[in-house]
Amino acid sequence: MVSQTNTQRFRLPPKAILREWIAGYLFASPFIIGFLVFTAFPMGYSVWLAFHKWDLLTAPRFVGLENIVKMFQDPVANLALYNSGFYTLFAVPIQLCISFTIAMALTQKLKFRDFYRAGFYLPIIVPLVASAVVWQRVFHYEYGILNELLGWFGVPAQKWLFDPPLAKPAFIFMSFWMIGRQMVIFIAGLGNIPQSMYEAASLDGAGWWRQLTKITIPMMTPLIFYNMVIAIINSFQTFVPALIMTDGGPERATLFAVLNIYRQGFNYFNMGYSAALSWELFVIVVGFTIAQFVISKRWVYYEE
């Protein structure tokens, strides 16, 4: 009796279902293989490498917690994390405010509205290398268009990329160039808010400010939260503009965490230490993300 029950319990599914499973895994196999080869394996290998010293030429040598201890004591690594944190702290909130404001403006009945939407989204599809080269020219001390514009108002030319106090603000200003993705998401969310809610609020005497704070913003909090999480992750991963425009200068003012990881691995050939730094950044980003999900329960509104 027991053997019969076990046989029924572990009976193979019908051939039709098996064929569906096989077909599904075959169609998903490019992603599965790509994930295992280019994501899962490198991540697992980097964990092993974080406890070794490797210069890409000789065999890896086990050093225990040496890389971990060095990571916390290295002033350059701490400075790189500070630069990334500073950039994130100021860039992300301003990006969200600007993209939300533009999205609200572009949901109104305007002439050439689609043209404006396309114009604000266009920088997203421009390669980062090309954008970095363009912005390097914009911030040029003698020939940059930004100093030219400031000169019209009597402001002297600034050495944006050569003055440590101005370098990070220049990168923060440049980040506003890439708000198109956030804007499109906000536009989609604003279009899903029922107009009947605004009509009912108007009948009750609510002005535009009260409608904004009591209807629009609460209904948009899920998308605000989503854009904020993605923006924080992306800002901590800032790499290409800093590498091309300043190479971490001046005086390491734009030495962000990912650029420091790249330098340790491919400039100084400290692959083990670079792996340890990458996992430190991974833990920080994941920690921020988890904290945001916990805090979101207090301010994010879901209809259900």
Side-chain angles (χ1 to χ4, degrees), residues 6-283:
N6 291 335
T7 302
Q8 293 177 353
R9 182 180 302 173
F10 296 105
R11 187 175 56 185
L12 292 174
K15 291 183 178 180
I17 296 179
L18 283 176
R19 284 197 296 268
E20 290 181 1
W21 286 359
I22 294 173
Y25 281 114
L26 283 176
F27 280 110
S29 60
F31 168 78
I32 296 173
I33 295 173
F35 175 79
L36 293 175
V37 174
F38 298 108
T39 302
F41 173 74
M43 289 184 67
Y45 185 72
S46 66
V47 174
W48 176 83
L49 195 60
F51 300 96
H52 292 73
K53 188 172 184 178
W54 185 37
D55 59 2
L56 293 176
L57 299 176
T58 59
R61 179 169 58 87
F62 180 76
V63 294
L65 297 177
E66 180 179 321
N67 291 325
I68 310 299
V69 174
K70 180 182 177 181
M71 177 179 67
F72 290 108
Q73 297 177 348
D74 187 1
V76 176
N78 294 331
L79 176 62
L81 288 176
Y82 167 79
N83 289 337
S84 295
F86 182 95
Y87 174 80
T88 301
L89 179 64
F90 288 95
V92 171
I94 302 176
Q95 288 174 15
L96 293 174
C97 291
I98 294 176
S99 59
F100 189 79
T101 303
I102 294 175
M104 290 192 61
L106 294 182
T107 53
Q108 308 302 315
K109 296 181 179 179
L110 302 172
K111 284 186 177 181
F112 309 111
R113 184 177 65 178
D114 293 338
F115 174 79
Y116 295 135
R117 289 180 177 180
F120 281 109
Y121 186 78
L122 185 62
I124 296 296
I125 64 177
V126 177
L128 280 176
V129 174
S131 296
V133 172
V134 170
W135 277 98
Q136 191 177 35
R137 185 70 178 182
V138 169
F139 289 126
H140 196 279
Y141 175 65
E142 296 180 355
Y143 310 109
I145 188 175
L146 182 58
N147 281 335
E148 287 287 340
L149 293 175
L150 293 177
W152 294 353
F153 300 96
V155 179
Q158 304 294 321
K159 297 181 178 179
W160 296 102
L161 301 179
F162 299 96
D163 190 359
L166 294 177
K168 279 193 287 290
F171 272 75
I172 293 172
F173 180 77
M174 182 182 65
S175 70
F176 306 152
W177 172 257
M178 305 293 290
I179 61 173
R181 185 178 291 108
Q182 299 175 9
M183 178 202 70
V184 169
I185 294 173
F186 282 142
I187 288 175
L190 290 169
N192 290 328
I193 300 177
Q195 289 298 317
S196 58
M197 300 182 68
Y198 293 109
E199 294 171 358
S202 297
L203 292 175
D204 290 338
W208 71 270
W209 176 254
R210 195 163 184 83
Q211 292 180 24
L212 174 66
T213 56
K214 299 299 181 180
I215 298 176
T216 305
I217 293 180
M219 294 290 289
M220 291 292 292
T221 48
L223 296 181
I224 294 173
F225 172 66
Y226 170 79
N227 278 333
M228 181 176 65
V229 171
I230 299 301
I232 289 177
I233 294 174
N234 290 336
S235 63
F236 268 105
Q237 294 178 341
T238 300
F239 169 66
V240 173
L243 177 65
I244 294 176
M245 297 172 62
T246 59
D247 196 25
E251 299 179 12
R252 295 174 177 167
T254 59
L255 179 63
F256 298 115
V258 178
L259 179 57
N260 184 48
I261 294 171
Y262 170 81
R263 277 188 174 181
Q264 292 295 333
F266 297 99
N267 288 358
Y268 308 141
F269 300 105
N270 296 326
M271 296 302 296
Y273 183 49
S274 178
L277 290 174
S278 65
W279 274 101
E280 179 188 34
L281 180 63
F282 176 80
V283 170

